[in-house]
Amino acid sequence: MTLPTHPLGNSGLHITGVGFGSWAIGGGGWSYGWGPQDDAASLDTMRHALEMGINWIDTAAIYGLGHSEEVVGKLLRELPSAERPLIFTKCGMVWDERDRMKPPQRNLSPDSIRRECEASLSRLGVERIDLYQFHWPDTGTAVDDSWYAMLKLIEEGKVRAAGVSNFDAALLERCEAIRHVDSLQPPFSLIDRAAAEKEIPWCANHDTGVICYSPMQSGLLTENFTTERVAALAEDDWRRRAGEFQQPRLGRNLALRDALLPIAQRHETSVSCIAIAWVLSWPGVSGAIVGARTPKQVDGWIGAAAIKLTRRDLDEIAATIWHSNAGTGPDRPRKSRTLKRTVA
């Protein structure tokens, strides 16, 4: 299959509206893991995503403490060069080798960025990372120094495009003054809507691509998620500790999810697809990162890339957000999507 693609800002990269997120395939046994995950299942799932037309995979060094990148690297080694997807990864989260469950430290010092880049290149088995991103801000290092270190990696041919994740508009401005920010990766969903207030409009005004993570709020906005499933999550699944998965927010979030069903039925699709399509309907949003642990899960959301929500849909969703009292932030796009789509 082929899916429509469009530019990631002015980076020169063209991406499908949905990309494969590989946080969960890092497996369990670390502070922000999703519980146990079989590598063979991960590889089957990524192969299926590529067969369905997805042309990019987003990972990070911290996912599974290097393991997610290793699994992605194994996939890349079995594919002909012409069939390889774009690879996006991140740096700036450093773990303790002696204690896997200890929360990672944020480190965007130039030396650490370089070490992490070399390690990621090795695990992925590539000579150049298509999009390299700072994972989280580091208050211990001036962002100017960090961004200059990124520029050196680009000049050396180790990185093609440079982006950031979880940065606010003020930090984006500081980076932009040195060198254009190719992309921002913010959390964004029907529940977590904060990025629509400042960061997504900033990116739209600066031709910076936006790839949103957790568009289904880490599984909450899927048809089969229940309060019982929260109780059944693995002991090392980070979601057990997350506020959105605990009452009273859990009940409000599931009520919002349930209210999307009539819209999904009208489009003959899944609630998951409607949740992702809502994210993609915002001006300035280039793509959504969606995770999966099985091929069946990919089938549940891949159709979002082709859905265009109507004004009626967006009005109903805004009303649903208001009635459910779930999350915070703007409740609907200010105008229709204007990005020009092409077919890869």
Side-chain angles (χ1 to χ4, degrees):
M1 289 181 62
T2 58
L3 293 177
T5 66
H6 52 270
L8 179 65
N10 61 9
S11 67
L13 302 174
H14 285 70
I15 64 172
T16 48
V18 288
F20 186 88
S22 62
W23 183 357
I25 71 171
W30 65 290
S31 56
Y32 288 96
W34 292 64
Q37 173 69 11
D38 180 69
D39 289 349
S42 297
L43 289 166
D44 285 344
T45 304
M46 287 189 288
R47 291 186 196 104
H48 183 65
L50 298 183
E51 290 168 358
M52 296 300 290
I54 285 174
N55 77 341
W56 55 288
I57 293 175
D58 181 81
T59 184
I62 193 62
Y63 298 161
L65 312 188
H67 189 62
S68 176
E69 288 186 334
E70 291 170 349
V71 178
V72 172
K74 186 172 183 179
L75 172 74
L76 297 179
R77 291 179 181 94
E78 71 179 36
L79 294 173
S81 298
E83 296 178 14
R84 288 186 176 185
L86 297 168
I87 300 299
F88 304 166
T89 192
K90 313 177 198 74
C91 65
M93 300 286 279
V94 180
W95 60 90
D96 188 335
E97 297 285 359
R98 299 165 298 179
D99 184 357
R100 291 178 59 89
M101 295 305 295
K102 185 177 180 179
Q105 299 296 307
R106 299 183 188 181
N107 188 343
L108 287 176
S109 67
D111 288 345
S112 185
I113 291 169
R114 179 166 293 277
R115 284 195 302 270
E116 291 186 66
C117 181
E118 295 292 351
S120 290
L121 288 168
S122 177
R123 286 190 290 261
L124 292 166
V126 298
E127 295 182 355
R128 183 174 67 167
I129 296 166
D130 294 301
L131 176 66
Y132 203 37
Q133 306 156 93
F134 292 163
H135 206 147
W136 283 90
D138 168 21
T139 57
T141 305
V143 72
D144 314 68
D145 295 338
S146 304
W147 200 236
Y148 276 119
M150 179 73 85
L151 302 193
K152 290 182 181 179
L153 295 175
I154 295 174
E155 291 169 358
E156 294 169 10
K158 298 180 186 297
V159 170
R160 180 176 176 183
V164 296
S165 179
N166 299 299
F167 273 38
D168 61 20
L171 285 175
L172 288 166
E173 285 283 1
R174 288 182 62 180
C175 293
E176 185 74 10
I178 297 169
R179 189 264 187 193
H180 180 58
V181 181
D182 289 315
S183 70
L184 170 68
Q185 183 177 145
F188 190 51
S189 72
L190 281 160
I191 295 169
D192 185 353
R193 306 183 300 276
E197 192 69 48
K198 293 182 180 180
E199 284 70 35
I200 293 175
W202 185 96
C203 291
N205 290 334
H206 290 80
D207 207 9
T208 290
V210 177
I211 51 175
C212 302
Y213 73 85
S214 294
M216 297 187 299
Q217 198 64 39
S218 303
L220 278 174
L221 297 173
T222 58
E223 284 85 343
N224 299 322
F225 209 91
T226 62
T227 54
E228 291 76 19
R229 187 171 172 187
V230 175
L233 292 172
E235 289 297 325
D236 59 351
D237 191 317
W238 69 274
R239 292 175 293 177
R240 293 179 68 93
R241 310 185 301 274
E244 298 296 351
F245 288 79
Q246 298 174 16
Q247 299 293 2
R249 280 187 271 175
L250 176 61
R252 293 197 291 261
N253 295 336
L254 293 180
L256 171 59
R257 184 275 314 273
D258 291 342
L260 297 177
L261 183 57
I263 301 171
Q265 292 174 337
R266 191 157 66 231
H267 284 269
E268 298 183 340
T269 190
S270 66
V271 166
S272 302
C273 283
I274 296 300
I276 298 166
W278 182 87
V279 167
L280 294 174
S281 70
W282 286 78
V285 171
S286 313
I289 302 165
V290 195
R293 303 173 79 166
T294 66
K296 183 178 179 180
Q297 289 180 348
V298 174
D299 292 338
W301 50 254
I302 190 72
I307 294 174
K308 184 174 178 59
L309 297 179
T310 65
R311 180 176 298 179
R312 174 190 175 189
D313 296 330
L314 295 172
D315 287 342
E316 288 184 15
I317 292 172
T320 293
I321 291 172
W322 189 84
H323 285 294
S324 69
N325 197 30
T328 58
D331 58 17
R332 62 166 298 157
R334 292 180 177 85
K335 57 183 179 180
S336 61
R337 188 175 179 83
T338 58
L339 292 178
K340 182 180 179 181
R341 292 182 181 270
T342 58
V343 176

